[in-house]
Amino acid sequence: MNKKLTISTIKKSKGVKPLVMITAYDALFARLLEPYADMILVGDSLNMSFAGRSDTLSATLEQMIYHTNAVCMGAKNSFVICDMPFGTYTCKERALDNAINVFQNTPADCVKIEGGADKAQTIQYLTDNGIAVCGHIGLLPQSFRSEGGYKVKGKTTDERARLLRDAKAVEAAGAFCMVIEGTKADVAQEIAQSVSIPVIGIGAGAEVDGQVLVFSDMLGLFEEFTPKFVKKYLDGATLVKNALQEYADEVVSRKFPTEEHTY
Ligand code: KIV
């Protein structure tokens, strides 16, 4: 069994070995992926791949707590991150109340917050009050509606400067690591080199301190759309459909159950 990572071992891994982060939303998949992941993210992406919504914005704290507990049950030896959903950290006091709710009602090791310099005060307030924070900069899925879509960041000089400022502010506020999503690879590389905490990329190129993918994307289970940055390591949807077709055929033809599966 792998040794569970701590905030300190995660920070020390920078420059030593890339970190592997994968999302999970339930005990079943958390147990399967635990041996391969340094950190498990209970992302609010569950609202799309698990709850079938078209974006992450309607995920609730109650949902996040429920799924975080399920993941922690399945992966008892993993460092688990609970994503703070949209609207739960609009000011630092609200963020602390909600993060305390997460910490008191789940064994999560930290929370994740989307935002850069604009969220520095909030991150500082949480870390000052004993809540470990993973930052999230770059493309912010919770800004999907206000930005009118998912927009890759870091294409202009201004955007690059803002991203760098965001990363430094998140680090200075006390985050122990950060996710960087949907940015040009060279700016993500520059950011990883400019801060001393691990920078975990998703759609941010190879030259960062680790990678995160949504498990249902990487296993080819989520068919609605596939972002350019997703590599499908399995054609999960086809495998599942083939198995279901075989089961259905065997039920209809009475080929299942045989003696072997009968009391
Ligand atoms: O919700 C999520 O799964 C995430 C990842 C995309 C990093 O935030």
Side-chain angles (χ1 to χ4, degrees):
M1 186 184 275
N2 290 343
K3 199 164 181 300
K4 176 173 170 169
L5 266 61
T6 62
I7 303 272
S8 152
T9 50
I10 290 166
K11 282 166 108 173
K12 280 188 197 144
S13 73
K14 188 171 173 100
V16 179
K17 133 187 195 306
L19 290 161
V20 180
M21 190 191 285
I22 316 177
T23 70
Y25 315 129
D26 60 30
L28 180 70
F29 274 94
R31 189 173 290 125
L32 283 172
L33 62 85
E34 172 162 58
Y36 310 98
D38 294 310
M39 291 182 266
I40 298 182
L41 168 64
V42 187
D44 60 357
S45 53
L46 64 81
N47 207 45
M48 298 169 77
S49 57
F50 196 91
R53 304 295 178 89
S54 56
D55 60 38
T56 61
L57 276 77
S58 56
T60 65
L61 196 66
E62 289 67 33
Q63 250 180 301
M64 298 312 300
I65 288 174
Y66 173 85
H67 287 279
T68 300
N69 275 318
V71 166
C72 291
M73 287 301 289
K76 295 199 171 72
N77 206 36
S78 289
F79 187 96
V80 173
I81 303 168
C82 173
D83 221 357
M84 296 293 284
F86 178 70
T88 59
Y89 51 98
T90 47
C91 66
K92 61 182 189 176
E93 290 81 10
R94 186 172 169 77
L96 184 60
D97 282 351
N98 286 323
I100 287 174
N101 190 351
V102 169
F103 265 38
Q104 287 185 331
N105 292 296
T106 77
D109 296 285
C110 74
V111 297
K112 178 167 80 58
I113 281 190
E114 291 186 12
D118 58 324
K119 289 288 175 273
Q121 264 206 345
T122 299
I123 295 172
Q124 182 80 60
Y125 197 55
L126 295 187
T127 55
D128 284 350
N129 284 283
I131 309 282
V133 177
C134 170
H136 185 153
I137 65 166
L139 185 160
L140 307 178
Q142 290 176 14
S143 302
F144 170 74
R145 291 189 204 169
S146 60
E147 292 195 354
Y150 297 112
K151 306 262 162 59
V152 174
K153 301 287 189 292
K155 289 182 171 171
T156 64
T157 316
D158 274 2
E159 269 183 11
R160 298 167 74 91
R162 186 174 322 136
L163 280 171
L164 207 56
R165 261 200 317 277
D166 283 341
K168 290 198 166 155
V170 165
E171 177 184 34
F176 72 95
C177 80
M178 75 184 85
V179 165
I180 184 165
E181 177 165 1
T183 66
K184 300 295 285 178
D186 55 348
V187 71
Q189 176 177 15
E190 189 183 342
I191 285 169
Q193 286 166 354
S194 308
V195 296
S196 59
I197 58 174
V199 175
I200 314 296
I202 173 161
E207 300 308 320
V208 284
D209 305 307
Q211 297 290 331
V212 53
L213 280 179
V214 170
F215 88 92
S216 41
D217 287 340
M218 62 165 298
L219 296 181
L221 293 165
F222 187 70
E223 292 187 291
E224 276 66 16
F225 68 91
T226 307
K228 175 179 163 66
F229 61 79
V230 170
K231 177 170 177 184
K232 290 191 180 183
Y233 288 85
L234 186 76
D235 187 1
T238 304
L239 290 175
V240 168
K241 285 183 207 168
N242 288 346
L244 292 170
Q245 186 64 63
E246 196 178 340
Y247 168 64
D249 290 347
E250 290 195 0
V251 170
V252 171
S253 65
R254 297 190 185 279
K255 222 170 138 192
F256 174 84
T258 55
E259 280 286 300
E260 186 194 349
H261 300 107
T262 303
Y263 292 111

